[in-house]
Short mmCIF file of all heavy atoms in Angstrom, two decimals:
data_model
loop_
_atom_site.label_atom_id
_atom_site.label_comp_id
_atom_site.label_asym_id
_atom_site.label_seq_id
_atom_site.Cartn_x
_atom_site.Cartn_y
_atom_site.Cartn_z
N LEU R 1 15.30 12.04 18.03
CA LEU R 1 16.51 11.43 17.47
C LEU R 1 16.96 10.26 18.34
O LEU R 1 17.32 9.22 17.81
CB LEU R 1 17.59 12.51 17.38
CG LEU R 1 18.94 12.03 16.84
CD1 LEU R 1 18.83 11.59 15.40
CD2 LEU R 1 19.96 13.12 16.95
N MET R 2 16.93 10.44 19.66
CA MET R 2 17.39 9.37 20.55
C MET R 2 16.45 8.18 20.45
O MET R 2 16.92 7.02 20.46
CB MET R 2 17.46 9.92 21.98
CG MET R 2 18.07 8.95 22.95
SD MET R 2 19.74 8.58 22.44
CE MET R 2 20.04 7.15 23.38
N ALA R 3 15.16 8.42 20.32
CA ALA R 3 14.21 7.31 20.21
C ALA R 3 14.47 6.51 18.94
O ALA R 3 14.37 5.27 18.96
CB ALA R 3 12.78 7.85 20.25
N LYS R 4 14.82 7.20 17.86
CA LYS R 4 15.11 6.51 16.59
C LYS R 4 16.37 5.66 16.74
O LYS R 4 16.43 4.54 16.25
CB LYS R 4 15.29 7.52 15.47
CG LYS R 4 14.02 8.12 14.98
CD LYS R 4 14.27 9.07 13.83
CE LYS R 4 13.00 9.73 13.36
NZ LYS R 4 13.24 10.62 12.23
N PHE R 5 17.35 6.21 17.44
CA PHE R 5 18.60 5.50 17.64
C PHE R 5 18.40 4.24 18.52
O PHE R 5 18.89 3.17 18.22
CB PHE R 5 19.67 6.40 18.26
CG PHE R 5 21.02 5.74 18.40
CD1 PHE R 5 21.74 5.38 17.29
CD2 PHE R 5 21.54 5.49 19.65
CE1 PHE R 5 22.98 4.76 17.42
CE2 PHE R 5 22.78 4.88 19.78
CZ PHE R 5 23.50 4.51 18.68
N ARG R 6 17.60 4.41 19.57
CA ARG R 6 17.27 3.25 20.43
C ARG R 6 16.54 2.19 19.65
O ARG R 6 16.82 1.00 19.78
CB ARG R 6 16.48 3.72 21.63
CG ARG R 6 17.25 4.47 22.67
CD ARG R 6 16.36 5.01 23.79
NE ARG R 6 15.59 3.96 24.42
CZ ARG R 6 15.92 3.36 25.59
NH1 ARG R 6 17.02 3.72 26.19
NH2 ARG R 6 15.17 2.42 26.11
N ARG R 7 15.59 2.60 18.83
CA ARG R 7 14.82 1.66 17.99
C ARG R 7 15.74 0.94 17.03
O ARG R 7 15.63 -0.26 16.80
CB ARG R 7 13.72 2.42 17.26
CG ARG R 7 12.92 1.57 16.34
CD ARG R 7 11.73 1.00 17.05
NE ARG R 7 10.89 0.30 16.06
CZ ARG R 7 10.35 -0.84 16.31
NH1 ARG R 7 10.49 -1.42 17.48
NH2 ARG R 7 9.62 -1.41 15.41
N PHE R 8 16.71 1.70 16.43
CA PHE R 8 17.65 1.13 15.51
C PHE R 8 18.49 0.05 16.21
O PHE R 8 18.66 -1.06 15.68
CB PHE R 8 18.58 2.24 14.96
CG PHE R 8 19.73 1.75 14.16
CD1 PHE R 8 19.56 1.34 12.84
CD2 PHE R 8 21.01 1.70 14.71
CE1 PHE R 8 20.60 0.87 12.09
CE2 PHE R 8 22.07 1.23 13.96
CZ PHE R 8 21.88 0.83 12.66
N LEU R 9 19.02 0.34 17.40
CA LEU R 9 19.80 -0.65 18.14
C LEU R 9 18.97 -1.85 18.52
O LEU R 9 19.45 -2.97 18.46
CB LEU R 9 20.42 -0.02 19.41
CG LEU R 9 21.61 0.89 19.20
CD1 LEU R 9 22.06 1.47 20.53
CD2 LEU R 9 22.75 0.15 18.55
N TYR R 10 17.73 -1.61 18.91
CA TYR R 10 16.83 -2.68 19.28
C TYR R 10 16.60 -3.62 18.10
O TYR R 10 16.76 -4.86 18.25
CB TYR R 10 15.51 -2.10 19.76
CG TYR R 10 14.51 -3.12 20.23
CD1 TYR R 10 14.55 -3.63 21.51
CD2 TYR R 10 13.48 -3.54 19.37
CE1 TYR R 10 13.60 -4.56 21.93
CE2 TYR R 10 12.56 -4.46 19.77
CZ TYR R 10 12.63 -4.99 21.07
OH TYR R 10 11.71 -5.91 21.48
N LEU R 11 16.33 -3.10 16.96
CA LEU R 11 16.08 -3.92 15.76
C LEU R 11 17.35 -4.65 15.32
O LEU R 11 17.32 -5.82 14.92
CB LEU R 11 15.52 -3.09 14.61
CG LEU R 11 14.11 -2.50 14.86
CD1 LEU R 11 13.72 -1.58 13.74
CD2 LEU R 11 13.11 -3.61 15.04
N LYS R 12 18.50 -3.95 15.39
CA LYS R 12 19.77 -4.61 15.06
C LYS R 12 20.08 -5.72 15.97
O LYS R 12 20.57 -6.80 15.56
CB LYS R 12 20.91 -3.58 15.04
CG LYS R 12 20.90 -2.63 13.88
CD LYS R 12 21.15 -3.38 12.60
CE LYS R 12 21.20 -2.47 11.42
NZ LYS R 12 21.33 -3.15 10.17
N ALA R 13 19.81 -5.55 17.27
CA ALA R 13 20.06 -6.61 18.22
C ALA R 13 19.24 -7.86 17.90
O ALA R 13 19.73 -8.98 17.93
CB ALA R 13 19.76 -6.15 19.65
N TYR R 14 17.99 -7.64 17.54
CA TYR R 14 17.13 -8.78 17.19
C TYR R 14 17.54 -9.44 15.88
O TYR R 14 17.34 -10.64 15.69
CB TYR R 14 15.66 -8.37 17.14
CG TYR R 14 14.96 -8.65 18.43
CD1 TYR R 14 14.98 -7.73 19.47
CD2 TYR R 14 14.38 -9.87 18.71
CE1 TYR R 14 14.39 -7.99 20.69
CE2 TYR R 14 13.76 -10.15 19.90
CZ TYR R 14 13.79 -9.21 20.90
OH TYR R 14 13.22 -9.49 22.10
N SER R 15 18.12 -8.69 14.96
CA SER R 15 18.50 -9.29 13.71
C SER R 15 19.92 -9.91 13.74
O SER R 15 20.18 -10.78 12.90
CB SER R 15 18.40 -8.28 12.56
OG SER R 15 19.32 -7.24 12.75
N HIS R 16 20.77 -9.48 14.65
CA HIS R 16 22.15 -9.96 14.63
C HIS R 16 22.55 -10.83 15.82
O HIS R 16 23.53 -11.56 15.72
CB HIS R 16 23.12 -8.79 14.56
CG HIS R 16 23.07 -8.04 13.27
ND1 HIS R 16 23.32 -8.65 12.05
CD2 HIS R 16 22.81 -6.75 13.00
CE1 HIS R 16 23.21 -7.77 11.09
NE2 HIS R 16 22.87 -6.62 11.62
N ILE R 17 21.81 -10.77 16.91
CA ILE R 17 22.15 -11.58 18.09
C ILE R 17 21.12 -12.67 18.22
O ILE R 17 19.98 -12.45 18.65
CB ILE R 17 22.21 -10.73 19.36
CG1 ILE R 17 23.21 -9.57 19.20
CG2 ILE R 17 22.63 -11.59 20.54
CD1 ILE R 17 23.21 -8.58 20.32
N SER R 18 21.48 -13.90 17.81
CA SER R 18 20.49 -14.98 17.81
C SER R 18 20.26 -15.58 19.18
O SER R 18 19.14 -16.07 19.46
CB SER R 18 20.93 -16.06 16.82
OG SER R 18 22.19 -16.57 17.18
N ASP R 19 21.25 -15.60 20.04
CA ASP R 19 21.11 -16.16 21.37
C ASP R 19 20.25 -15.23 22.23
O ASP R 19 20.58 -14.06 22.42
CB ASP R 19 22.47 -16.36 22.01
CG ASP R 19 22.37 -16.93 23.42
OD1 ASP R 19 21.74 -17.94 23.59
OD2 ASP R 19 22.95 -16.29 24.34
N GLU R 20 19.14 -15.77 22.71
CA GLU R 20 18.16 -14.94 23.46
C GLU R 20 18.76 -14.28 24.71
O GLU R 20 18.54 -13.12 24.97
CB GLU R 20 16.95 -15.79 23.84
CG GLU R 20 15.86 -15.01 24.51
CD GLU R 20 14.64 -15.84 24.84
OE1 GLU R 20 14.52 -16.94 24.27
OE2 GLU R 20 13.85 -15.40 25.67
N PHE R 21 19.55 -15.06 25.46
CA PHE R 21 20.15 -14.51 26.69
C PHE R 21 21.12 -13.37 26.35
O PHE R 21 21.11 -12.31 26.98
CB PHE R 21 20.85 -15.59 27.50
CG PHE R 21 21.55 -15.04 28.71
CD1 PHE R 21 20.84 -14.64 29.82
CD2 PHE R 21 22.92 -14.90 28.73
CE1 PHE R 21 21.46 -14.10 30.92
CE2 PHE R 21 23.59 -14.40 29.83
CZ PHE R 21 22.83 -13.99 30.95
N SER R 22 21.98 -13.59 25.35
CA SER R 22 22.94 -12.56 24.95
C SER R 22 22.24 -11.30 24.47
O SER R 22 22.66 -10.20 24.83
CB SER R 22 23.89 -13.08 23.87
OG SER R 22 24.60 -14.18 24.33
N ARG R 23 21.21 -11.48 23.68
CA ARG R 23 20.46 -10.33 23.19
C ARG R 23 19.79 -9.58 24.35
O ARG R 23 19.85 -8.34 24.42
CB ARG R 23 19.41 -10.81 22.18
CG ARG R 23 18.62 -9.66 21.57
CD ARG R 23 17.63 -10.15 20.54
NE ARG R 23 16.70 -11.12 21.07
CZ ARG R 23 16.56 -12.37 20.63
NH1 ARG R 23 17.27 -12.80 19.61
NH2 ARG R 23 15.69 -13.18 21.16
N SER R 24 19.20 -10.32 25.28
CA SER R 24 18.53 -9.69 26.43
C SER R 24 19.54 -8.97 27.28
O SER R 24 19.28 -7.84 27.75
CB SER R 24 17.82 -10.74 27.24
OG SER R 24 16.85 -11.43 26.51
N LEU R 25 20.70 -9.55 27.45
CA LEU R 25 21.77 -8.92 28.25
C LEU R 25 22.24 -7.63 27.57
O LEU R 25 22.39 -6.59 28.22
CB LEU R 25 22.90 -9.90 28.45
CG LEU R 25 23.96 -9.51 29.48
CD1 LEU R 25 23.34 -9.37 30.86
CD2 LEU R 25 25.02 -10.62 29.49
N PHE R 26 22.45 -7.68 26.27
CA PHE R 26 22.85 -6.50 25.50
C PHE R 26 21.82 -5.39 25.64
O PHE R 26 22.16 -4.23 25.95
CB PHE R 26 23.05 -6.87 24.04
CG PHE R 26 23.25 -5.69 23.13
CD1 PHE R 26 24.50 -5.10 23.05
CD2 PHE R 26 22.21 -5.16 22.39
CE1 PHE R 26 24.72 -4.01 22.23
CE2 PHE R 26 22.40 -4.06 21.58
CZ PHE R 26 23.65 -3.49 21.50
N LEU R 27 20.56 -5.73 25.46
CA LEU R 27 19.51 -4.69 25.53
C LEU R 27 19.38 -4.11 26.91
O LEU R 27 19.09 -2.93 27.09
CB LEU R 27 18.18 -5.27 25.05
CG LEU R 27 18.11 -5.59 23.53
CD1 LEU R 27 16.84 -6.35 23.22
CD2 LEU R 27 18.24 -4.33 22.72
N THR R 28 19.60 -4.95 27.94
CA THR R 28 19.53 -4.46 29.32
C THR R 28 20.70 -3.51 29.62
O THR R 28 20.51 -2.44 30.19
CB THR R 28 19.54 -5.62 30.32
OG1 THR R 28 18.40 -6.45 30.04
CG2 THR R 28 19.47 -5.14 31.71
N LEU R 29 21.89 -3.91 29.20
CA LEU R 29 23.07 -3.10 29.51
C LEU R 29 23.14 -1.82 28.68
O LEU R 29 23.48 -0.75 29.17
CB LEU R 29 24.34 -3.92 29.29
CG LEU R 29 24.60 -5.00 30.32
CD1 LEU R 29 25.80 -5.85 29.90
CD2 LEU R 29 24.84 -4.39 31.69
N VAL R 30 22.86 -1.92 27.40
CA VAL R 30 23.02 -0.77 26.52
C VAL R 30 21.81 0.15 26.50
O VAL R 30 21.94 1.37 26.54
CB VAL R 30 23.34 -1.24 25.08
CG1 VAL R 30 23.41 -0.07 24.13
CG2 VAL R 30 24.65 -1.99 25.10
N LEU R 31 20.60 -0.40 26.49
CA LEU R 31 19.41 0.42 26.39
C LEU R 31 18.62 0.49 27.70
O LEU R 31 17.61 1.20 27.77
CB LEU R 31 18.50 -0.13 25.27
CG LEU R 31 19.11 -0.12 23.89
CD1 LEU R 31 18.13 -0.68 22.89
CD2 LEU R 31 19.54 1.29 23.47
N GLY R 32 19.04 -0.23 28.71
CA GLY R 32 18.34 -0.22 29.99
C GLY R 32 17.00 -0.90 29.91
O GLY R 32 16.08 -0.61 30.68
N MET R 33 16.82 -1.84 29.01
CA MET R 33 15.55 -2.54 28.81
C MET R 33 15.54 -3.85 29.63
O MET R 33 15.70 -4.94 29.07
CB MET R 33 15.30 -2.83 27.35
CG MET R 33 15.26 -1.57 26.51
SD MET R 33 15.03 -1.92 24.77
CE MET R 33 13.32 -2.41 24.76
N GLY R 34 15.38 -3.74 30.90
CA GLY R 34 15.40 -4.90 31.78
C GLY R 34 14.26 -5.86 31.56
O GLY R 34 14.34 -7.01 31.97
N SER R 35 13.22 -5.41 30.90
CA SER R 35 12.07 -6.30 30.64
C SER R 35 12.41 -7.41 29.65
O SER R 35 11.66 -8.39 29.54
CB SER R 35 10.89 -5.47 30.11
OG SER R 35 11.25 -4.85 28.88
N GLU R 36 13.53 -7.29 28.98
CA GLU R 36 13.95 -8.32 28.03
C GLU R 36 14.50 -9.56 28.73
O GLU R 36 14.49 -10.64 28.15
CB GLU R 36 15.01 -7.75 27.08
CG GLU R 36 14.53 -6.66 26.17
CD GLU R 36 13.55 -7.17 25.11
OE1 GLU R 36 13.75 -8.28 24.58
OE2 GLU R 36 12.59 -6.46 24.80
N LEU R 37 14.96 -9.43 29.97
CA LEU R 37 15.48 -10.58 30.70
C LEU R 37 14.38 -11.36 31.35
O LEU R 37 13.37 -10.80 31.79
CB LEU R 37 16.47 -10.10 31.78
CG LEU R 37 17.85 -9.67 31.29
CD1 LEU R 37 18.64 -9.07 32.47
CD2 LEU R 37 18.61 -10.84 30.73
N SER R 38 14.57 -12.67 31.43
CA SER R 38 13.55 -13.53 32.09
C SER R 38 13.59 -13.30 33.60
O SER R 38 14.57 -12.78 34.14
CB SER R 38 13.81 -14.97 31.76
OG SER R 38 14.97 -15.42 32.45
N THR R 39 12.54 -13.72 34.25
CA THR R 39 12.46 -13.63 35.71
C THR R 39 13.57 -14.43 36.39
O THR R 39 14.15 -13.97 37.35
CB THR R 39 11.07 -14.11 36.19
OG1 THR R 39 10.05 -13.42 35.48
CG2 THR R 39 10.90 -13.89 37.68
N ASP R 40 13.86 -15.61 35.84
CA ASP R 40 14.94 -16.44 36.41
C ASP R 40 16.32 -15.75 36.30
O ASP R 40 17.10 -15.79 37.22
CB ASP R 40 14.98 -17.81 35.71
CG ASP R 40 13.79 -18.65 36.00
OD1 ASP R 40 13.11 -18.42 37.06
OD2 ASP R 40 13.48 -19.54 35.19
N ASP R 41 16.55 -15.13 35.14
CA ASP R 41 17.82 -14.42 34.95
C ASP R 41 17.94 -13.26 35.94
O ASP R 41 18.99 -13.02 36.54
CB ASP R 41 17.97 -13.91 33.52
CG ASP R 41 18.15 -15.02 32.52
OD1 ASP R 41 18.62 -16.12 32.90
OD2 ASP R 41 17.79 -14.83 31.35
N TRP R 42 16.82 -12.48 36.08
CA TRP R 42 16.87 -11.37 37.05
C TRP R 42 17.12 -11.88 38.45
O TRP R 42 17.85 -11.25 39.22
CB TRP R 42 15.54 -10.59 37.02
CG TRP R 42 15.58 -9.43 36.09
CD1 TRP R 42 14.78 -9.26 34.99
CD2 TRP R 42 16.44 -8.31 36.13
NE1 TRP R 42 15.10 -8.08 34.37
CE2 TRP R 42 16.11 -7.47 35.04
CE3 TRP R 42 17.49 -7.92 36.98
CZ2 TRP R 42 16.78 -6.30 34.78
CZ3 TRP R 42 18.14 -6.73 36.72
CH2 TRP R 42 17.79 -5.91 35.65
N GLN R 43 16.55 -13.03 38.80
CA GLN R 43 16.73 -13.56 40.15
C GLN R 43 18.20 -13.91 40.36
O GLN R 43 18.75 -13.66 41.45
CB GLN R 43 15.87 -14.78 40.38
CG GLN R 43 15.81 -15.23 41.81
CD GLN R 43 15.32 -14.14 42.75
OE1 GLN R 43 14.33 -13.50 42.51
NE2 GLN R 43 16.05 -13.91 43.81
N ILE R 44 18.85 -14.50 39.38
CA ILE R 44 20.27 -14.80 39.48
C ILE R 44 21.08 -13.52 39.67
O ILE R 44 21.98 -13.46 40.52
CB ILE R 44 20.74 -15.57 38.24
CG1 ILE R 44 20.14 -16.98 38.22
CG2 ILE R 44 22.29 -15.65 38.23
CD1 ILE R 44 20.35 -17.72 36.91
N PHE R 45 20.75 -12.50 38.91
CA PHE R 45 21.48 -11.23 39.04
C PHE R 45 21.21 -10.57 40.40
O PHE R 45 22.13 -9.97 40.97
CB PHE R 45 21.13 -10.27 37.90
CG PHE R 45 21.59 -10.75 36.57
CD1 PHE R 45 20.77 -10.69 35.46
CD2 PHE R 45 22.89 -11.25 36.39
CE1 PHE R 45 21.22 -11.12 34.21
CE2 PHE R 45 23.34 -11.69 35.16
CZ PHE R 45 22.50 -11.62 34.07
N LYS R 46 19.99 -10.71 40.91
CA LYS R 46 19.71 -10.17 42.24
C LYS R 46 20.45 -10.92 43.32
O LYS R 46 21.00 -10.31 44.23
CB LYS R 46 18.19 -10.27 42.52
CG LYS R 46 17.38 -9.24 41.75
CD LYS R 46 15.91 -9.42 42.06
CE LYS R 46 15.05 -8.53 41.20
NZ LYS R 46 13.62 -8.75 41.43
N ASP R 47 20.49 -12.25 43.21
CA ASP R 47 21.17 -13.07 44.21
C ASP R 47 22.67 -12.79 44.27
O ASP R 47 23.28 -12.89 45.32
CB ASP R 47 20.93 -14.56 43.94
CG ASP R 47 19.49 -14.97 44.17
OD1 ASP R 47 18.74 -14.21 44.83
OD2 ASP R 47 19.10 -16.06 43.70
N THR R 48 23.25 -12.47 43.12
CA THR R 48 24.69 -12.23 43.08
C THR R 48 25.04 -10.75 43.24
O THR R 48 26.22 -10.41 43.30
CB THR R 48 25.27 -12.72 41.71
OG1 THR R 48 24.60 -12.06 40.63
CG2 THR R 48 25.13 -14.21 41.61
N GLY R 49 24.01 -9.88 43.31
CA GLY R 49 24.27 -8.45 43.52
C GLY R 49 24.60 -7.69 42.24
O GLY R 49 25.04 -6.55 42.26
N ILE R 50 24.37 -8.30 41.09
CA ILE R 50 24.73 -7.68 39.83
C ILE R 50 23.54 -6.87 39.26
O ILE R 50 23.74 -5.98 38.43
CB ILE R 50 25.20 -8.75 38.80
CG1 ILE R 50 26.47 -9.41 39.33
CG2 ILE R 50 25.44 -8.16 37.43
CD1 ILE R 50 26.93 -10.54 38.47
N ALA R 51 22.35 -7.12 39.71
CA ALA R 51 21.15 -6.48 39.14
C ALA R 51 21.26 -4.96 39.21
O ALA R 51 20.97 -4.26 38.23
CB ALA R 51 19.89 -6.95 39.86
N HIS R 52 21.70 -4.42 40.33
CA HIS R 52 21.83 -2.99 40.47
C HIS R 52 22.83 -2.42 39.45
O HIS R 52 22.57 -1.39 38.85
CB HIS R 52 22.29 -2.63 41.90
CG HIS R 52 22.56 -1.20 42.09
ND1 HIS R 52 21.55 -0.25 42.17
CD2 HIS R 52 23.71 -0.51 42.19
CE1 HIS R 52 22.07 0.94 42.32
NE2 HIS R 52 23.39 0.82 42.33
N LEU R 53 23.93 -3.12 39.27
CA LEU R 53 24.94 -2.64 38.30
C LEU R 53 24.37 -2.61 36.89
O LEU R 53 24.68 -1.72 36.11
CB LEU R 53 26.17 -3.52 38.37
CG LEU R 53 26.96 -3.48 39.67
CD1 LEU R 53 28.06 -4.51 39.64
CD2 LEU R 53 27.51 -2.08 39.91
N MET R 54 23.56 -3.60 36.56
CA MET R 54 23.00 -3.68 35.22
C MET R 54 22.05 -2.53 34.97
O MET R 54 22.08 -1.91 33.92
CB MET R 54 22.29 -5.02 35.01
CG MET R 54 23.27 -6.18 34.99
SD MET R 54 22.46 -7.72 34.69
CE MET R 54 21.91 -7.48 33.05
N VAL R 55 21.21 -2.26 35.94
CA VAL R 55 20.25 -1.13 35.77
C VAL R 55 20.98 0.20 35.68
O VAL R 55 20.69 1.02 34.83
CB VAL R 55 19.25 -1.12 36.94
CG1 VAL R 55 18.36 0.10 36.90
CG2 VAL R 55 18.38 -2.40 36.91
N VAL R 56 21.96 0.39 36.55
CA VAL R 56 22.69 1.65 36.55
C VAL R 56 23.50 1.82 35.27
O VAL R 56 23.52 2.88 34.68
CB VAL R 56 23.59 1.74 37.82
CG1 VAL R 56 24.55 2.91 37.72
CG2 VAL R 56 22.74 1.83 39.05
N SER R 57 24.16 0.76 34.85
CA SER R 57 24.98 0.89 33.61
C SER R 57 24.08 1.16 32.40
O SER R 57 24.45 1.94 31.54
CB SER R 57 25.82 -0.36 33.38
OG SER R 57 25.03 -1.46 33.06
N GLY R 58 22.93 0.52 32.36
CA GLY R 58 22.01 0.78 31.24
C GLY R 58 21.55 2.23 31.22
O GLY R 58 21.49 2.86 30.17
N ALA R 59 21.24 2.77 32.39
CA ALA R 59 20.81 4.16 32.47
C ALA R 59 21.95 5.10 32.09
O ALA R 59 21.74 6.08 31.35
CB ALA R 59 20.33 4.47 33.89
N HIS R 60 23.15 4.81 32.54
CA HIS R 60 24.30 5.67 32.23
C HIS R 60 24.65 5.59 30.72
O HIS R 60 25.00 6.62 30.14
CB HIS R 60 25.52 5.34 33.08
CG HIS R 60 25.36 5.87 34.47
ND1 HIS R 60 25.02 5.08 35.55
CD2 HIS R 60 25.54 7.11 34.96
CE1 HIS R 60 24.98 5.82 36.61
NE2 HIS R 60 25.30 7.06 36.32
N LEU R 61 24.61 4.40 30.16
CA LEU R 61 24.92 4.30 28.74
C LEU R 61 23.88 5.04 27.88
O LEU R 61 24.22 5.67 26.90
CB LEU R 61 25.01 2.83 28.32
CG LEU R 61 26.26 2.10 28.78
CD1 LEU R 61 26.15 0.65 28.51
CD2 LEU R 61 27.50 2.71 28.16
N SER R 62 22.62 4.99 28.30
CA SER R 62 21.60 5.71 27.58
C SER R 62 21.82 7.21 27.71
O SER R 62 21.66 7.96 26.72
CB SER R 62 20.20 5.37 28.14
OG SER R 62 19.89 4.01 27.88
N LEU R 63 22.18 7.69 28.88
CA LEU R 63 22.47 9.09 29.07
C LEU R 63 23.68 9.51 28.22
O LEU R 63 23.64 10.56 27.55
CB LEU R 63 22.77 9.38 30.56
CG LEU R 63 23.13 10.80 30.89
CD1 LEU R 63 21.98 11.75 30.62
CD2 LEU R 63 23.55 10.88 32.36
N LEU R 64 24.72 8.70 28.20
CA LEU R 64 25.90 9.01 27.41
C LEU R 64 25.53 9.06 25.92
O LEU R 64 25.97 9.99 25.23
CB LEU R 64 26.99 7.97 27.64
CG LEU R 64 28.26 8.14 26.84
CD1 LEU R 64 28.96 9.43 27.19
CD2 LEU R 64 29.18 6.95 27.04
N MET R 65 24.76 8.10 25.44
CA MET R 65 24.38 8.11 24.03
C MET R 65 23.54 9.33 23.69
O MET R 65 23.64 9.90 22.64
CB MET R 65 23.60 6.84 23.68
CG MET R 65 24.47 5.60 23.65
SD MET R 65 23.70 4.13 23.01
CE MET R 65 22.14 4.05 23.84
N SER R 66 22.70 9.77 24.62
CA SER R 66 21.89 10.96 24.42
C SER R 66 22.78 12.19 24.28
O SER R 66 22.58 13.02 23.40
CB SER R 66 20.93 11.18 25.60
OG SER R 66 20.02 10.16 25.68
N MET R 67 23.76 12.30 25.15
CA MET R 67 24.69 13.45 25.09
C MET R 67 25.50 13.43 23.81
O MET R 67 25.66 14.47 23.18
CB MET R 67 25.59 13.44 26.32
CG MET R 67 24.83 13.75 27.60
SD MET R 67 25.73 13.71 29.16
CE MET R 67 27.40 13.51 28.79
N VAL R 68 25.97 12.28 23.41
CA VAL R 68 26.74 12.16 22.17
C VAL R 68 25.89 12.53 20.96
O VAL R 68 26.33 13.27 20.09
CB VAL R 68 27.38 10.76 22.02
CG1 VAL R 68 27.94 10.55 20.63
CG2 VAL R 68 28.44 10.54 23.09
N SER R 69 24.68 12.02 20.92
CA SER R 69 23.81 12.33 19.77
C SER R 69 23.46 13.83 19.75
O SER R 69 23.33 14.39 18.67
CB SER R 69 22.54 11.48 19.82
OG SER R 69 21.72 11.86 20.89
N PHE R 70 23.36 14.43 20.90
CA PHE R 70 23.09 15.89 20.95
C PHE R 70 24.26 16.66 20.39
O PHE R 70 24.10 17.60 19.60
CB PHE R 70 22.79 16.32 22.37
CG PHE R 70 22.55 17.80 22.51
CD1 PHE R 70 21.38 18.38 22.07
CD2 PHE R 70 23.52 18.64 23.04
CE1 PHE R 70 21.15 19.75 22.17
CE2 PHE R 70 23.32 19.97 23.16
CZ PHE R 70 22.13 20.55 22.71
N VAL R 71 25.47 16.30 20.76
CA VAL R 71 26.67 16.98 20.29
C VAL R 71 26.86 16.76 18.82
O VAL R 71 27.21 17.69 18.08
CB VAL R 71 27.91 16.50 21.10
CG1 VAL R 71 29.19 17.05 20.48
CG2 VAL R 71 27.80 16.93 22.55
N VAL R 72 26.65 15.54 18.38
CA VAL R 72 26.87 15.23 16.95
C VAL R 72 25.76 15.86 16.14
O VAL R 72 25.89 16.44 15.15
CB VAL R 72 26.90 13.71 16.70
CG1 VAL R 72 26.94 13.37 15.25
CG2 VAL R 72 28.12 13.12 17.43
#
């Protein structure tokens, strides 16, 4: 069920978010898919100390969505 929901969000992001950076940022934060960001973007986030927050928030949001889908 969770895999279907993640796939649904992934496809919706590609169909509704036309700006590549915004889409990549959304997928990284919500689904924890850091591979969507370019190497240059990751370097900026590493230099500013935000990379860790992005990875952690993506993991926590995925965990939260899993728990909600289980309850629902």
Side-chain angles (χ1 to χ4, degrees):
L1 179 64
M2 188 60 196
K4 286 183 181 180
F5 184 66
R6 287 175 56 98
R7 177 90 173 137
F8 172 78
L9 283 178
Y10 182 83
L11 294 174
K12 286 294 182 184
Y14 265 87
S15 65
H16 292 302
I17 305 173
S18 59
D19 178 53
E20 184 178 343
F21 176 74
S22 298
R23 183 178 57 240
S24 299
L25 192 60
F26 171 81
L27 291 171
T28 300
L29 289 173
V30 175
L31 299 179
M33 300 178 73
S35 61
E36 295 289 323
L37 283 173
S38 72
T39 306
D40 292 337
D41 291 335
W42 267 118
Q43 191 58 48
I44 291 169
F45 293 135
K46 286 179 186 177
D47 292 344
T48 58
I50 297 175
H52 175 74
L53 294 173
M54 293 182 66
V55 172
V56 170
S57 69
H60 282 102
L61 287 172
S62 294
L63 177 64
L64 178 64
M65 288 189 313
S66 296
M67 291 176 8
V68 168
S69 68
F70 178 74
V71 171
V72 172

